[in-house]
């Protein structure tokens, strides 16, 4: 085998998909054949690079399998006919992709006040499959209480959970040891828990936790869809019953129905309150006026409001206009001392339509916010939407989805919360073992209400910001997601910092904002919006983990961590991200070598490979130790005096490896 091609055996191993242990054989063979130290070092470097490539390929294959399973699950939801079949498929796919022996799903039963086993896969214990558990018990109880995933390597040795005889006997009967549970969320409430478990101790990786969370989200959507279908059927049945009543009394209410149709048409044409009054006046051959609440006859309005009917007031008739217990005004029909029941009902219907118009006018801004949120939800959840329809919907909101945009994930940082997490349960005996009032429970409920109010304020502030910036905003994952256009000369990092400041000022709390790399044209490439949101969420969580809550940042602000946080939306983006990292980290050294013909990059490689020892470095390079010192001094002037600090040294070494790999690929 030629000495100048150490990578050849590893390329062959990669080509045939050899196991990891096979990558050690070329080095062992060369050592047995008495190869030179340079040859062995080259083989070692090639081995490490090959193993890295193998790991990346394995990761990509795994992600492809996960995405395929999630796509199949989404397809099942789109054609939802049998909820049991959809949930069973979700549990089976979760078990298969996570490689666990058992997967199961529990749902809360509000009427019984407990939880029950809904679907299982891989379970062999009938007792386990029929478990019903009290609220707050076991690992699932902690997941439901905190709305966060929990994992245990050995359930019976874990004291974080409230162990009960029922749960422990069921888990022991099934033989489970390692358990991962993630919440099924509808809005901000937990309706159940999805589990993956093994019968031996095991550590679940973060990617596996996120994958199970995705399946849990699909399961929650399936359950919600089934509930909505049931409600729709119930509503249709009620509507059919109402239609029967209407048909039975059609002769009595025919005139009122015609007026109602006319009022409906008027509303659909965009008419206002005074248009309704004019239409009713024409039908009733009189004068109808809308008066504000403070100017209407108080006694008559109170009687109308209390009885829900129009009442006589002197020579006039008055119908209160109210909604949700709030008095909005009154319709006054003048000059009609006598009204038959049909005309009276007509006036009452007009009052109802008037209240709807007033509420619609009041909530116009909220409606626009919801429309913006729905469009953004479609971009995130339905990437196969027709671009033309997306552009039309965006144009009605004065948004241009063909311009570069940035996805931002925003969340309020609760005071005293570590890494943005929810506070854990209070220490001490449970409420039933003490005579003290359950102050902890009340405190948790109050804290939950405060968090919900904070999320509402954040969504309102984000929606207002999106409207003023011609962008989109929606509430999502316990926080808010925004899609904002990127101004000329503006970067994603500066937009994130500015957004964090603006939202924090609006809600009067610390708001952390993570930003994605720019999405060139969301309407043309809607699939990138979901990937960009995942990237923004990773940046948000990274800020919290690093203790930078209340700030805004994009992946490029995190140094080499940005390569991990940035994710992958396309090959060109990955290459640009790597090139940018290399340029920011060792670009000055690479440029110096290119201009002067020096060997500073090679010297750095040898220096780190020699354990940062100048003496061993000079042996590796076959130069004098003074030459090594002079070169390292030059590196220090180019990279800064702290280039050998642990964090900088790690980034420099990573950049060197990436530069070496990029150079090899270019050759």
């Amino acid at each position: 085998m030629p000495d100048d091609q150490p990578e050849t055996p590893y390329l062959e191993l990669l080509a045939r998909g050899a196991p990891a242990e096979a990558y050690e054989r070329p080095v062992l063979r060369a050592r047995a054949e008495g190869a030179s130290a340079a040859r062995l070092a080259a083989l070692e470097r090639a081995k490490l690079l090959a193993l890295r490539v193998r790991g990346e390929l394995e990761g990509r294959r795994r992600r492809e399998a996960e995405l395929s399973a999630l796509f199949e699950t989404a397809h099942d939801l789109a054609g939802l006919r049998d909820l049991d079949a959809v949930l069973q498929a979700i549990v089976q796919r979760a078990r298969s992709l996570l490689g666990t022996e058992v997967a199961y799903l529990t749902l809360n039963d509000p009427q019984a006040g407990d939880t029950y086993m809904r679907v299982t896969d891989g379970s062999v214990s009938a007792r386990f499959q029929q478990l019903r558990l009290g609220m707050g018990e076991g690992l699932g109880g902690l997941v439901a209480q905190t709305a966060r995933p929990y994992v245990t390597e050995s359930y019976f040795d874990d004291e974080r959970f409230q162990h009960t005889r029922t749960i422990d006997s069921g888990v022991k009967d099934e033989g489970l040891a390692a358990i991962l549970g993630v919440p099924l969320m509808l809005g901000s409430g937990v309706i159940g828990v999805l589990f993956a478990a093994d019968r031996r101790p095991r550590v679940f990786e973060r990617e596996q936790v996120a994958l199970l969370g995705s399946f849990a989200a699909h399961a929650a959507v399936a359950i919600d869809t089934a509930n909505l279908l049931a409600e729709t059927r119930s509503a249709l049945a009620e509507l059919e019953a109402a239609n029967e009543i209407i048909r039975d009394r059609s002769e009595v209410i025919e005139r009122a129905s015609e007026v109602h149709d006319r009022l409906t048409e008027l509303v659909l044409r965009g008419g206002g309150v005074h248009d309704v009054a004019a239409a009713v006046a024409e039908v009733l051959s009189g004068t109808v006026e809308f008066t504000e609440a403070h100017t209407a006859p108080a006694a008559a309005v109170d009687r109308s409001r209390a009885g829900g009917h129009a009442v006589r007031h002197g020579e006039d008739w008055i119908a209160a206009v109210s909604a949700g217990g709030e008095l909005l005004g009154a319709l006054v029909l003048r000059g009609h001392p006598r009204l038959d029941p049909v005309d009276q009902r007509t006036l009452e219907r007009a009052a109802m339509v008037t209240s709807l118009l007033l509420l619609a006018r009041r909530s116009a801004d909220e409606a626009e916010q919801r429309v913006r949120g729905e469009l953004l939800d479609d971009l995130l959840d339905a990437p196969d939407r027709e671009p033309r329809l997306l552009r039309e919907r965006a144009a009605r909101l004065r948004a241009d989805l063909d311009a570069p945009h940035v996805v931002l994930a925003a969340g309020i940082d609760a005071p005293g919360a570590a890494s943005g997490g929810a506070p854990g349960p209070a220490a001490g005996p449970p409420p039933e073992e003490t005579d003290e009032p359950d102050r902890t429970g009340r405190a948790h409920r109050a804290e939950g209400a405060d968090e919900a109010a904070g999320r509402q304020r954040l969504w309102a502030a984000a929606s207002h910001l999106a409207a003023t910036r011609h962008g989109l905003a929606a509430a999502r994952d316990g926080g808010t997601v925004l899609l904002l256009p990127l101004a000329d000369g503006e970067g994603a990092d500066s937009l994130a910092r500015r957004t964090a400041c603006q939202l924090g000022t609006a809600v009067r709390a610390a708001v952390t904002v993570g930003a994605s790399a720019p999405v060139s044209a969301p309407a043309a490439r809607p699939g990138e919006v979901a990937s960009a949101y995942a990237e923004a969420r990773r940046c948000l969580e990274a800020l919290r983990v690093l203790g930078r809550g209340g700030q805004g940042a994009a992946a490029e602000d995190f140094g080499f961590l940005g390569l991990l946080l940035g994710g992958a939306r396309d090959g060109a983006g990955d290459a640009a991200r790597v090139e940018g990292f290399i340029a920011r980290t060792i670009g000055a050294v690479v440029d110096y070598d290119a201009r002067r013909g020096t060997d500073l990059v090679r010297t750095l490689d040898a220096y780190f490979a020699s354990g940062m020892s100048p003496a061993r470095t000079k042996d590796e390079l076959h130069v004098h130790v003074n030459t090594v010192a002079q070169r390292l001094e030059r590196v220090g002037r180019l990279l800064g005096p702290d280039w050998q600090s642990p964090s900088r040294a790690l980034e420099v070494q990573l950049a060197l490896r990436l530069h070496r790999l990029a150079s090899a690929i270019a050759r």
Side-chain angles (χ1 to χ4, degrees):
M1 188 181 301
D3 285 346
D4 59 342
Q5 295 181 349
E7 68 279 2
T8 301
Y10 296 106
L11 292 175
E12 295 173 353
L13 292 172
L14 286 171
R16 69 169 186 265
E21 56 269 17
Y23 288 72
E24 193 65 32
R25 293 172 187 164
V27 178
L28 296 176
R29 189 182 303 115
R31 188 175 289 116
E33 293 172 357
S36 65
R39 173 64 178 171
L40 292 175
L43 284 170
E44 284 288 349
R45 289 192 297 271
K47 179 190 73 174
L48 293 176
L49 289 174
L51 286 173
R52 232 168 116 194
V53 172
R54 180 182 180 275
E56 180 66 23
L57 292 174
E58 288 293 330
R60 289 180 181 273
R61 281 192 288 268
R62 184 174 64 254
R63 288 194 292 272
E64 288 175 358
E66 294 171 356
L67 290 174
S68 176
L70 291 174
F71 176 80
E72 292 173 359
T73 302
H75 182 269
D76 291 344
L77 292 179
L80 178 65
R81 294 294 181 272
D82 184 352
L83 177 62
D84 288 336
V86 174
L87 294 181
Q88 188 68 49
I90 289 173
V91 171
Q92 288 174 349
R93 289 169 187 150
R95 176 191 173 200
S96 172
L97 285 177
L98 268 68
T100 58
E101 296 170 300
V102 182
Y104 53 100
L105 183 149
T106 64
L107 291 181
N108 297 346
D109 187 343
Q111 295 181 347
D114 60 6
T115 63
Y116 64 96
M117 196 72 69
R118 183 69 166 80
V119 181
T120 65
D121 190 64
S123 171
V124 296
S125 168
R127 180 179 184 181
F128 180 79
Q129 295 167 13
Q130 298 171 3
L131 274 180
R132 292 191 75 94
L133 314 174
M135 290 291 190
E137 296 176 353
L139 182 146
L142 190 57
V143 172
Q145 182 182 28
T146 62
R148 296 175 60 192
Y150 273 88
V151 63
T152 179
E153 299 178 26
S154 179
Y155 178 79
F156 291 102
D157 298 327
D158 202 324
E159 298 299 328
R160 291 177 298 169
F161 318 120
Q162 181 182 346
H163 291 269
T164 66
R165 180 179 301 176
T166 302
I167 298 178
D168 288 357
S169 59
V171 173
K172 185 177 295 184
D173 202 31
E174 188 64 49
L176 301 181
I179 304 176
L180 164 63
V182 298
L184 275 68
M185 304 288 296
L186 275 184
S188 60
V190 179
I191 63 170
V193 181
L194 178 62
F195 298 87
D198 261 345
R199 297 186 174 92
R200 62 186 186 282
R202 166 182 178 172
V203 176
F204 288 94
E205 299 176 356
R206 181 179 299 178
E207 292 80 4
Q208 294 173 320
V209 176
L211 177 61
L212 192 64
S214 298
F215 280 113
H218 282 300
V221 170
I223 294 168
D224 190 35
T225 301
N227 291 338
L228 290 175
L229 287 174
E231 292 175 2
T232 301
R233 294 188 186 101
S234 176
L236 289 174
E238 293 176 0
L239 181 60
E240 183 62 29
N243 286 335
E244 286 292 334
I245 296 174
I246 291 174
R247 281 192 292 269
D248 292 341
R249 304 178 59 189
S250 60
E251 293 182 0
V252 178
I253 62 172
E254 181 177 354
R255 183 177 176 185
S257 297
E258 292 176 358
V259 174
H260 177 72
D261 292 341
R262 182 170 178 177
L263 292 176
T264 302
E265 182 183 358
L266 186 151
V267 172
L268 293 176
R269 289 204 314 266
V273 171
H274 297 290
D275 295 323
V276 172
V280 175
E282 181 181 346
V283 171
L284 300 182
S285 302
T287 301
V288 178
E289 299 176 355
F290 172 75
T291 63
E292 300 291 342
H294 63 278
T295 61
V301 169
D302 289 342
R303 285 190 291 120
S304 174
R305 187 179 177 189
H309 299 289
V311 298
R312 184 173 175 178
H313 178 66
E315 297 293 313
D316 303 331
W317 283 83
I318 294 179
V321 177
S322 61
E326 179 184 3
L327 180 62
L328 304 176
L331 282 183
V332 180
L333 173 62
R334 304 190 184 280
H336 268 273
R338 294 182 181 180
L339 278 181
D340 60 40
V342 174
D343 290 338
Q344 182 179 342
R345 184 58 179 159
T346 297
L347 184 61
E348 292 165 2
R349 286 180 180 237
M352 293 174 58
V353 172
T354 302
S355 67
L356 292 175
L357 289 175
L358 292 173
L359 290 177
R361 183 174 63 185
R362 175 187 294 178
S363 60
D365 291 340
E366 296 178 2
E368 182 176 341
Q369 292 171 358
R370 286 194 295 273
V371 171
R372 291 180 184 274
E374 289 169 0
L375 177 54
L376 182 50
D377 283 338
D378 283 350
L379 287 169
L380 290 169
D381 300 331
D384 54 346
R385 294 281 186 181
E386 173 62 35
R388 179 182 59 81
L389 297 178
L390 293 175
R391 291 187 180 95
E392 291 177 357
R393 292 169 62 187
R396 288 194 290 269
L397 297 170
R398 300 180 301 280
D400 180 12
L401 293 186
D402 288 317
H405 281 67
V406 171
V407 178
L408 303 110
I412 294 180
D413 282 291
S419 301
E432 63 270 20
E433 298 178 9
T434 177
D435 295 331
E436 291 295 321
D438 188 11
R439 290 188 294 269
T440 300
R442 291 196 299 271
H444 284 176
R445 289 191 293 272
E447 187 175 59
D450 290 342
E451 290 177 356
R455 288 193 295 268
Q456 179 65 26
R457 291 197 305 273
L458 177 61
W459 176 77
S463 298
H464 176 73
L465 177 62
T468 57
R469 289 288 306 272
H470 304 296
L472 306 175
R476 201 175 186 89
D477 299 328
T480 301
V481 55
L482 300 95
L483 182 67
L484 298 181
L486 195 61
D488 292 338
E490 185 178 30
D493 54 343
S494 61
L495 179 59
R497 287 190 289 271
R498 181 154 56 89
T499 303
C501 180
Q502 291 174 331
L503 294 180
T505 301
V507 302
R508 299 181 181 178
V511 176
T512 306
V513 176
S516 72
V519 180
S520 58
R525 306 172 70 179
E528 290 191 6
V529 177
S531 300
Y533 174 58
E535 178 181 338
R537 288 277 300 169
R538 289 192 293 271
C539 290
L540 170 64
E541 294 304 323
L543 283 170
R544 288 173 168 170
V545 169
L546 296 174
R548 294 172 56 185
Q551 300 182 23
E556 61 193 42
D557 292 317
F558 294 93
F560 74 93
L561 289 177
L563 299 177
L564 304 176
L565 298 172
R569 295 207 295 270
D570 56 69
D574 292 344
R577 193 176 292 109
V578 170
E579 291 173 2
F581 173 72
I582 294 172
R584 290 193 302 272
T585 308
I586 61 170
V589 177
V590 174
D591 292 342
Y592 189 91
D593 276 355
R595 291 195 311 270
R596 303 292 183 89
T598 54
D599 276 337
L600 297 185
V601 172
R602 181 165 166 261
T603 302
L604 276 175
D605 269 327
Y607 180 61
F608 285 117
S610 303
M612 301 177 73
S613 168
R616 289 195 292 271
T617 303
K618 62 97 174 174
D619 294 334
E620 178 72 20
L621 297 175
H622 305 293
V623 297
H624 195 275
V625 69
N626 289 341
T627 302
V628 173
Q630 291 170 0
R631 292 180 180 179
L632 294 179
E633 181 181 1
R634 172 63 64 182
V635 168
R637 287 198 295 270
L638 293 171
L639 299 184
D642 65 336
W643 71 276
Q644 296 188 77
S645 65
S647 59
R648 285 289 307 280
L650 178 61
E651 292 192 355
V652 170
Q653 291 180 73
L654 177 60
L656 287 170
R657 287 176 178 269
L658 293 173
H659 176 65
R660 187 164 59 248
L661 178 61
S663 299
I665 293 174
R667 289 196 297 270

